[in-house]
Amino acid sequence: MPDGFLTLRDDAMRLLESWHAPDPQQEQWRADLLAHCRANPDALWKQGPPQHLTTGAVVLNRTLDKVLLTLHAKAGMWLQFGGHFEPEDRSVHAAATRESREESGIADLVLDPRVVELHRHELLAPAFGRCAEHLDIRFAGVAADEGAFAVSDESLDVAWWPADGMPEATEAELGPLVRAAQRLLADR
């Protein structure tokens, strides 16, 4: 396990310890993620436990009424940007920024440093291999130019969707995240 992952785990724990969950579900996930980090020195490492921390972000336009989503190749649905930590990541926020820039094609994308929400979800598709569950720390950002995005190798497509008109399965999965991001970014 690379040395940077202990520092990254410490950063994740610091974020989780200082974050004020907005509701009981988020508080439960905050406690779950903290417990997982405490129990597993390799909690953020893809080759660590089958349940591991990941990070990502939802990207909105300047008026906060559209969301840029990726048609995820493995999941087969429209989702936010994100993924696993890499050895070069120096913080959870830096990893979320890297993932979002890579998957959106927006090289100068800046994410708000505040955690928007936490999420815990099982991975049932065989394409995810030994990864059984992601414990996700999510951020948000605003794209300065709605036309400055590209499809990455990890995506089947990238497109803007109305924040109140996402595909049904995506709304069920990401609706709370998008609304939380709109609230967070409205006060920037």
Side-chain angles (χ1 to χ4, degrees):
M1 175 176 54
D3 290 338
F5 279 98
L6 292 178
T7 302
L8 200 53
R9 185 182 76 155
D10 292 342
D11 183 59
M13 291 175 66
R14 179 193 58 78
L15 275 174
L16 294 167
E17 287 168 348
S18 65
W19 187 64
H20 298 287
D23 59 54
Q25 177 63 76
Q26 289 291 298
E27 178 56 31
Q28 181 61 58
W29 283 339
R30 188 186 78 80
D32 291 349
L33 271 66
L34 267 171
H36 189 70
C37 283
R38 288 182 180 123
N40 296 283
D42 54 355
L44 283 75
W45 187 233
K46 186 178 180 180
Q47 284 70 36
Q51 300 79 19
H52 50 268
L53 270 68
T54 52
T55 191
V58 64
V59 176
L60 300 168
N61 65 347
R62 286 182 184 198
T63 55
L64 308 180
D65 62 346
K66 291 182 186 172
V67 58
L68 187 62
L69 299 174
T70 178
L71 182 54
H72 195 280
K74 289 182 182 178
M77 65 183 288
W78 291 96
L79 296 171
Q80 81 286 353
F81 303 107
H84 295 100
F85 293 95
E86 299 293 339
E88 67 271 11
D89 294 329
R90 294 294 165 231
S91 70
V92 174
H93 181 263
T97 300
R98 175 189 51 75
E99 282 286 338
S100 298
R101 287 177 177 175
E102 287 174 0
E103 294 181 6
S104 71
I106 304 173
D108 60 351
L109 181 63
V110 176
L111 301 182
D112 190 289
R114 298 171 289 178
V115 172
V116 175
E117 78 160 18
L118 306 175
H119 199 270
R120 184 175 191 159
H121 51 275
E122 290 183 6
L123 305 169
L124 303 176
F128 287 103
R130 69 178 297 280
C131 295
E133 187 175 29
H134 282 172
L135 313 173
D136 209 17
I137 301 173
R138 296 174 172 177
F139 296 87
V142 173
D145 178 0
E146 286 186 38
F149 66 87
V151 179
S152 77
D153 293 341
E154 296 180 38
S155 303
L156 299 175
D157 199 2
V158 174
W160 287 101
W161 289 85
D164 61 357
M166 295 180 290
E168 189 174 329
T170 302
E171 173 60 38
E173 180 73 19
L174 297 185
L177 169 63
V178 171
R179 288 184 287 283
Q182 287 170 319
R183 287 190 300 273
L184 181 89
L185 295 172
D187 71 359
R188 60 193 148 100

